[in-house]
Amino acid sequence: MKNILYYMKRYGNKSFEEFPLNEVDGLILSQLSYLNLDTLIPSIDDTKEDVSLIDCFDSSTIKAICQGTLDRKNNEKLIFYLKKSLRFKNLKANYFTNLFNVDEVLQFCAMTFFINNTMFITYRGTDVTLLGWKEDLNMSFLEVIPSQKEASRYFERVGNKRDLPIYVCGHSKGGNLAVYASLSVKEELQSKIKLILDYDGPGFQTDIYKTKEFHKIEHRIKKFSCGNAMIGILLYHSNHIHFVKARGVSIFQHDPYNWLLTKKGTFRYVKSVTIFSLTFEKTVGDYIETTSIDNRKKFLHILFKVGMEHSYATVLDWFRHPIRSLVGIFKRYKNLTKADRIYFKKMVHRYRILWQENFKLFFKKKMRKSKTK
């Protein structure tokens, strides 16, 4: 399969003069942000020199930084190829920050990479913690989530430290943070931004795409999603999205390792998204528009009350102990008040009805198009 691992094997030994810096390099750095790099990269509060990541990688270090990540085996392969590559031999990093606050519902991580005389301010997406997922879903009723505020602060602190062109990037929630931070910093910092790379990040609770602030930097934003898009088409989003062909179905296409490339080391694109994606986008939009903010908050509160065993629970817990997790979910659901159970069922039923109606709508449209060809 031609993905970012293929890219590292095929183009890892090509210098940036031979094969210029591109969007696939940005996706690789965005994937690195999910690793446990806090022991390797100096903190944003330190005054230490940049570190060469490649020099830090050995067999024990690679296992440690990939431990507990969502795709440990592929992450280890990526580091293996990075360590051997000529292209990334001078990759350096600094200004690591990682915040996790249960009370604020905050999961935020950012770091800055230096490569080819360019700064890559990189925001981590949603990690394996369910609290991170909860913060994402809070976008459905909050105009600004805590991570977005932190993303702006981070950019302000880091952006002026070097006189270098800046790329801002991130995958999933990290893509959203890259766009938000770039919009909200001062014009002096904005002028240093060369490109903003949003890899399947969700949109915003308000339509920022019609604002003057957005139009100032719109030409420097490149947003990517996948053919079976779910995350990148949530909420208000850009109409200019590059849809990448990806392996797998549904949410599995969100995984950067499933994004497909051409032999030339560029993304493979699809002309349009699937019926599933169109149905999902419209259903979520209809659901939000017809549900009050208070009801959205209440539903998500109940959802995570049932789904989260404790504040530090992760999706890996579900995979490692599926039976125990299901039993726990069932018990917590049964412990809800009768009113909360009725409310929860009602909201789920509303979503299912909207889904069925929208699927029929898009299916009929597709049938009409196929008859006219």
Side-chain angles (χ1 to χ4, degrees):
M1 182 178 70
K2 294 180 178 62
N3 62 0
I4 54 177
L5 296 178
Y6 162 84
Y7 180 88
M8 288 304 305
K9 286 187 283 186
R10 177 71 176 78
Y11 295 96
N13 284 325
K14 291 189 178 295
S15 68
F16 291 104
E17 286 72 32
E18 295 176 274
F19 193 69
L21 186 68
N22 60 75
E23 295 91 346
V24 181
D25 294 312
L27 181 61
I28 289 169
L29 296 180
S30 295
Q31 183 61 30
L32 287 183
S33 73
Y34 285 105
L35 307 185
N36 307 313
L37 297 173
D38 51 306
T39 59
L40 303 182
I41 301 178
S43 165
I44 190 173
D45 296 316
D46 292 338
T47 55
K48 295 181 179 178
E49 296 291 321
D50 306 337
V51 296
S52 170
L53 280 182
I54 306 304
D55 292 342
C56 295
F57 295 148
D58 56 39
S59 57
S60 60
T61 303
I62 292 173
K63 286 185 178 180
I65 63 176
C66 297
Q67 187 67 36
T69 56
L70 195 56
D71 200 340
R72 178 180 58 80
K73 289 184 178 180
N74 277 329
N75 286 333
E76 288 180 357
K77 289 178 183 177
L78 180 63
I79 297 300
F80 174 78
Y81 291 128
L82 274 172
K83 187 172 175 60
K84 293 173 60 177
S85 77
L86 169 69
R87 189 172 183 81
F88 290 94
K89 72 172 184 178
N90 295 320
L91 176 65
K92 294 187 177 182
N94 210 331
Y95 314 131
F96 186 90
T97 185
N98 190 15
L99 305 173
F100 188 89
N101 190 303
V102 174
D103 294 331
E104 293 182 18
V105 190
L106 165 68
Q107 173 259 311
F108 173 79
C109 182
M111 60 210 71
T112 301
F113 297 107
F114 299 91
I115 191 167
N116 196 34
N117 293 317
T118 303
M119 290 177 70
F120 271 83
I121 293 179
T122 309
Y123 296 103
R124 177 185 292 176
T126 309
D127 61 15
V128 295
T129 63
L130 293 183
L131 186 87
W133 288 31
K134 185 176 183 180
E135 185 184 26
D136 288 356
L137 291 175
N138 284 354
M139 289 182 186
S140 67
F141 61 83
L142 290 177
E143 288 192 14
V144 180
I145 59 171
S147 281
Q148 290 170 336
K149 295 177 182 178
E150 292 298 337
S152 294
R153 291 192 189 106
Y154 182 86
F155 200 147
E156 291 283 0
R157 291 185 67 184
V158 170
N160 281 319
K161 287 181 180 288
R162 313 287 175 91
D163 187 20
L164 293 172
I166 299 174
Y167 278 63
V168 196
C169 64
H171 170 259
S172 193
K173 180 176 70 177
N176 173 283
L177 300 182
V179 174
Y180 182 88
S182 301
L183 280 169
S184 58
V185 296
K186 297 174 183 176
E187 287 189 20
E188 179 186 352
L189 274 180
Q190 283 185 346
S191 66
K192 298 174 70 174
I193 299 174
K194 188 171 182 180
L195 201 59
I196 302 153
L197 297 166
D198 174 359
Y199 300 104
D200 210 23
F204 296 86
Q205 210 266 327
T206 55
D207 192 354
I208 65 165
Y209 302 96
K210 295 178 181 177
T211 63
K212 293 179 181 179
E213 289 77 14
F214 177 77
H215 291 306
K216 284 181 182 178
I217 63 168
E218 181 179 10
H219 62 288
R220 284 177 280 174
I221 298 174
K222 293 197 76 170
K223 182 179 175 73
F224 303 87
S225 190
C226 43
N228 216 1
M230 289 182 68
I231 308 301
I233 44 83
L234 285 173
L235 306 175
Y236 286 106
H237 59 77
S238 170
N239 292 322
H240 304 291
I241 302 178
H242 304 275
F243 292 102
V244 179
K245 186 175 179 60
R247 188 182 65 167
V249 296
S250 188
I251 193 65
F252 295 103
Q253 289 198 2
H254 183 60
D255 183 349
Y257 288 111
N258 286 336
W259 288 23
L260 302 181
L261 307 179
T262 67
K263 288 182 179 180
K264 295 181 178 180
T266 57
F267 288 128
R268 288 179 62 186
Y269 295 110
V270 294
K271 292 181 179 179
S272 60
V273 295
T274 62
I275 288 180
F276 173 86
S277 182
L278 292 169
T279 302
F280 181 75
E281 177 183 9
K282 190 171 189 319
T283 301
V284 172
D286 291 347
Y287 188 80
I288 289 175
E289 286 182 12
T290 58
T291 307
S292 70
I293 289 178
D294 287 341
N295 279 330
R296 288 177 232 162
K297 290 172 68 174
K298 183 178 179 180
F299 175 72
L300 291 176
H301 173 75
I302 296 173
L303 178 66
F304 281 93
K305 187 176 182 179
V306 171
M308 289 177 67
E309 183 178 2
H310 50 78
S311 299
Y312 295 87
T314 72
V315 293
L316 298 179
D317 298 333
W318 292 346
F319 294 122
R320 291 167 182 161
H321 310 287
I323 304 300
R324 190 181 76 183
S325 297
L326 285 172
V327 170
I329 288 170
F330 180 75
K331 285 182 178 179
R332 290 189 290 275
Y333 178 77
K334 294 295 286 185
N335 287 333
L336 293 174
T337 64
K338 184 179 179 180
D340 280 349
R341 287 199 301 272
I342 292 172
Y343 174 84
F344 189 78
K345 287 179 180 178
K346 179 182 176 183
M347 298 295 278
V348 171
H349 178 71
R350 278 190 58 231
Y351 182 86
R352 182 170 60 84
I353 295 300
L354 285 170
W355 174 276
Q356 291 172 344
E357 290 174 351
N358 288 326
F359 182 81
K360 289 177 183 177
L361 173 69
F362 288 114
F363 185 77
K364 287 179 181 178
K365 284 183 178 180
K366 184 175 182 179
M367 290 299 100
R368 284 197 294 268
K369 281 185 179 180
S370 62
K371 287 179 182 179
T372 57
K373 288 182 179 179

